[in-house]
Amino acid sequence: MDGGAGAKPGRLASLDEVLALAGGTHYFIVELKDDEARYPGLTARVLAAIRARGLAGRVVLKTFDVGMLARLAELAPEIPRLYVYVMEFPRLGLTLDHALTRGAATARDARWLQVHRYGLSPAYAERVHRAGYRLVAWDVHEEETMRAALAADVDAIETDDPAQLRRLLAEREGCAPVSW
C-alpha cells in the first residue's frame, strides 16, 4: 500500500491493521524515511508492530536514506533491509539515492538492493548478485521495461501493473516466485 502523493482521499489503514490481515501468508516491504524529527518514535512503533505480530521473517525494511539504513541495522538486525537508489557511479564512489551519497550501493548493510530502471543493466545485475545481494528493479511499468528487467535477471520488480508482469512471467519457463 502506498499512501504517498497518489493516495485517494479517505482513511488509510494503519500498519498494524495491514499486518493483521497477513495471517502468516503475505510478505511486506515497509518503507521508512528519516522523518524522526516530524514523527518522533515512528521507527520504534513500526518495528514494535512488526515484532508484536511475529512478522520479522516476512518483512523487508526499505529506505532511500543511508542513515536510516544504519539505524535499522542497529534497531532491527533480525529484519532484512532493502536499500533503494537510482543508480551508482562506481568510478566516482557515489550513489544517487535521495541525494548524492558517498559509497557504493554494494557496500551497504542490506540484503536487498533496489535500483531504478535507469541504473539497471544485465552487467550491473550480475555485479550485484556476485556481491551477494538480491536485486529489485523499480519504476518498471511498461512491457518493454519489464522485459528488460527480466532479461537483466533481477530477483523482483516493483510495478504499478502487476497483471501485465504476471502475464510476462507466465510466458517464461521455469519462473518461480521470490523467496525471502
Coordinates of all heavy atoms in Angstrom, one line a residue, residues 114-118 120 136-150 154 156-162 164-165 168:
Q114 N 17.7 -2.1 -4.4 CA 16.6 -1.7 -5.3 C 17.0 -0.6 -6.2 O 17.1 0.6 -5.7 CB 15.3 -1.4 -4.6 CG 14.1 -1.2 -5.5 CD 12.8 -1.1 -4.8 OE1 12.7 -1.1 -3.5 NE2 11.7 -1.0 -5.5
V115 N 17.3 -0.9 -7.4 CA 17.8 0.1 -8.4 C 16.7 0.6 -9.3 O 15.9 -0.2 -9.7 CB 19.0 -0.4 -9.2 CG1 18.6 -1.6 -10.1 CG2 19.7 0.7 -10.0
H116 N 16.8 1.9 -9.6 CA 15.8 2.4 -10.6 C 16.1 1.8 -12.0 O 17.3 1.4 -12.3 CB 16.0 3.9 -10.7 CG 14.9 4.6 -11.5 ND1 15.0 4.7 -12.9 CD2 13.7 5.1 -11.1 CE1 13.9 5.3 -13.3 NE2 13.1 5.6 -12.3
R117 N 15.1 1.7 -12.8 CA 15.3 1.1 -14.1 C 16.4 1.8 -14.9 O 17.1 1.1 -15.8 CB 14.0 1.0 -14.9 CG 13.4 2.3 -15.2 CD 12.0 2.2 -15.9 NE 11.3 3.4 -15.9 CZ 11.3 4.2 -16.9 NH1 12.0 3.9 -18.0 NH2 10.6 5.4 -16.9
Y118 N 16.6 3.1 -14.7 CA 17.7 3.8 -15.4 C 19.1 3.3 -15.1 O 20.0 3.5 -15.8 CB 17.6 5.3 -15.2 CG 16.4 6.0 -15.7 CD1 15.8 7.1 -15.1 CD2 15.7 5.5 -16.9 CE1 14.7 7.7 -15.6 CE2 14.6 6.1 -17.4 CZ 14.1 7.2 -16.7 OH 13.0 7.8 -17.2
L120 N 19.8 0.1 -14.2 CA 19.8 -1.3 -14.4 C 20.3 -1.7 -15.7 O 20.0 -1.2 -16.8 CB 18.4 -1.9 -14.2 CG 18.2 -3.4 -14.4 CD1 19.0 -4.1 -13.3 CD2 16.7 -3.8 -14.3
V136 N 16.2 -5.7 -6.8 CA 14.9 -5.3 -7.2 C 15.0 -4.1 -8.2 O 15.8 -3.3 -8.0 CB 14.0 -4.9 -6.0 CG1 12.6 -4.5 -6.4 CG2 14.0 -5.9 -4.9
A137 N 14.2 -4.2 -9.2 CA 14.1 -3.0 -10.1 C 12.8 -2.2 -9.8 O 11.8 -2.8 -9.6 CB 14.1 -3.5 -11.6
W138 N 12.9 -0.9 -9.8 CA 11.7 -0.1 -9.5 C 11.4 0.9 -10.7 O 12.3 1.1 -11.5 CB 11.8 0.6 -8.2 CG 12.8 1.6 -8.0 CD1 14.1 1.4 -7.6 CD2 12.7 3.1 -8.0 NE1 14.8 2.6 -7.5 CE2 13.9 3.6 -7.7 CE3 11.6 3.9 -8.3 CZ2 14.2 5.0 -7.6 CZ3 11.9 5.3 -8.3 CH2 13.1 5.8 -7.9
D139 N 10.2 1.4 -10.7 CA 9.7 2.2 -11.7 C 9.6 1.5 -13.1 O 10.0 2.0 -14.1 CB 10.5 3.5 -11.9 CG 9.8 4.6 -12.7 OD1 8.6 4.5 -12.9 OD2 10.5 5.4 -13.3
V140 N 9.2 0.2 -13.0 CA 9.1 -0.6 -14.1 C 7.6 -0.9 -14.4 O 7.0 -1.7 -13.7 CB 9.8 -2.0 -13.8 CG1 9.7 -2.9 -15.0 CG2 11.3 -1.7 -13.5
H141 N 7.0 -0.2 -15.4 CA 5.6 -0.2 -15.6 C 5.2 -0.6 -17.0 O 4.1 -1.1 -17.1 CB 4.9 1.2 -15.2 CG 5.4 1.7 -13.9 ND1 5.1 1.0 -12.7 CD2 6.0 2.8 -13.6 CE1 5.6 1.7 -11.7 NE2 6.2 2.8 -12.2
E142 N 6.0 -0.4 -17.9 CA 5.6 -0.7 -19.3 C 6.2 -2.1 -19.7 O 7.2 -2.6 -19.1 CB 6.2 0.3 -20.3 CG 5.5 1.7 -20.2 CD 6.1 2.5 -19.0 OE1 7.3 2.3 -18.7 OE2 5.3 3.2 -18.4
E143 N 5.6 -2.8 -20.6 CA 6.0 -4.1 -21.0 C 7.5 -4.1 -21.4 O 8.3 -5.0 -21.0 CB 5.2 -4.6 -22.2 CG 5.6 -6.1 -22.6 CD 4.6 -6.7 -23.6 OE1 3.5 -6.3 -23.7 OE2 5.1 -7.6 -24.3
E144 N 7.9 -3.1 -22.2 CA 9.3 -3.1 -22.6 C 10.3 -3.0 -21.4 O 11.3 -3.7 -21.4 CB 9.5 -1.8 -23.5 CG 10.9 -1.6 -24.0 CD 11.1 -0.4 -24.8 OE1 10.1 0.1 -25.4 OE2 12.2 0.1 -24.9
T145 N 10.0 -2.2 -20.4 CA 10.9 -2.1 -19.3 C 10.8 -3.3 -18.4 O 11.8 -3.7 -17.8 CB 10.6 -0.8 -18.4 OG1 9.3 -0.8 -18.0 CG2 11.0 0.4 -19.2
M146 N 9.7 -4.0 -18.4 CA 9.5 -5.3 -17.6 C 10.4 -6.3 -18.3 O 11.1 -7.1 -17.6 CB 8.1 -5.7 -17.6 CG 7.2 -4.9 -16.7 SD 5.5 -5.5 -16.7 CE 4.7 -4.3 -15.7
R147 N 10.3 -6.4 -19.6 CA 11.1 -7.4 -20.3 C 12.6 -7.1 -20.1 O 13.4 -8.1 -19.9 CB 10.8 -7.4 -21.8 CG 9.4 -8.0 -22.1 CD 9.2 -8.2 -23.6 NE 7.9 -8.6 -23.9 CZ 7.5 -9.9 -23.8 NH1 8.3 -10.8 -23.4 NH2 6.2 -10.2 -24.1
A148 N 13.0 -5.9 -20.1 CA 14.4 -5.5 -19.9 C 14.9 -5.9 -18.5 O 16.0 -6.5 -18.3 CB 14.7 -4.0 -20.1
A149 N 14.0 -5.7 -17.5 CA 14.3 -6.1 -16.1 C 14.4 -7.6 -16.0 O 15.3 -8.1 -15.3 CB 13.3 -5.5 -15.1
L150 N 13.5 -8.3 -16.6 CA 13.6 -9.7 -16.6 C 14.8 -10.3 -17.3 O 15.5 -11.2 -16.8 CB 12.3 -10.3 -17.2 CG 11.0 -10.1 -16.4 CD1 9.8 -10.5 -17.3 CD2 11.0 -10.9 -15.1
V154 N 16.8 -9.8 -12.6 CA 16.5 -9.2 -11.3 C 15.7 -10.3 -10.5 O 15.1 -11.2 -11.0 CB 15.8 -7.9 -11.3 CG1 16.6 -6.8 -12.0 CG2 14.4 -8.1 -12.0
A156 N 13.3 -9.3 -8.3 CA 12.0 -8.8 -8.1 C 11.8 -7.5 -8.9 O 12.8 -6.9 -9.2 CB 11.7 -8.6 -6.6
I157 N 10.5 -7.2 -9.2 CA 10.2 -6.0 -9.9 C 9.1 -5.3 -9.2 O 8.1 -5.9 -8.8 CB 9.7 -6.3 -11.4 CG1 10.9 -6.9 -12.1 CG2 9.2 -5.1 -12.0 CD1 10.5 -7.4 -13.5
E158 N 9.3 -4.0 -8.9 CA 8.2 -3.1 -8.3 C 7.5 -2.4 -9.5 O 8.2 -1.7 -10.3 CB 8.9 -2.1 -7.4 CG 7.8 -1.3 -6.7 CD 8.5 -0.3 -5.7 OE1 9.0 -0.7 -4.7 OE2 8.4 0.9 -6.0
T159 N 6.2 -2.6 -9.6 CA 5.5 -2.1 -10.7 C 4.1 -1.7 -10.3 O 3.5 -2.2 -9.3 CB 5.3 -3.2 -11.8 OG1 4.7 -2.6 -12.9 CG2 4.6 -4.4 -11.4
D160 N 3.5 -0.8 -11.1 CA 2.1 -0.4 -10.9 C 1.2 -1.3 -11.7 O -0.1 -1.1 -11.7 CB 1.9 1.1 -11.3 CG 2.5 2.0 -10.3 OD1 2.9 1.6 -9.2 OD2 2.7 3.2 -10.7
D161 N 1.7 -2.2 -12.5 CA 0.9 -3.1 -13.3 C 1.2 -4.6 -13.1 O 1.8 -5.2 -13.9 CB 1.2 -2.7 -14.8 CG 0.2 -3.3 -15.7 OD1 -0.6 -4.2 -15.3 OD2 0.1 -2.9 -16.9
P162 N 0.9 -5.1 -11.9 CA 1.2 -6.5 -11.6 C 0.5 -7.5 -12.6 O 1.1 -8.6 -12.8 CB 0.7 -6.7 -10.2 CG -0.2 -5.6 -9.9 CD 0.2 -4.4 -10.8
Q164 N 0.1 -7.2 -15.8 CA 1.0 -7.3 -17.0 C 2.3 -8.1 -16.7 O 2.7 -9.0 -17.4 CB 1.4 -5.9 -17.5 CG 2.3 -6.0 -18.8 CD 2.4 -4.7 -19.4 OE1 1.9 -4.5 -20.5 NE2 3.1 -3.7 -18.8
L165 N 2.8 -7.9 -15.5 CA 4.0 -8.6 -15.1 C 3.7 -10.1 -14.9 O 4.5 -10.9 -15.4 CB 4.6 -8.0 -13.8 CG 5.8 -8.7 -13.2 CD1 7.0 -8.6 -14.3 CD2 6.3 -8.0 -11.9
L168 N 3.7 -11.7 -18.3 CA 5.0 -11.9 -18.9 C 5.8 -13.0 -18.1 O 6.5 -13.8 -18.8 CB 5.8 -10.6 -18.7 CG 5.4 -9.4 -19.6 CD1 6.2 -8.1 -19.3 CD2 5.5 -9.8 -21.1

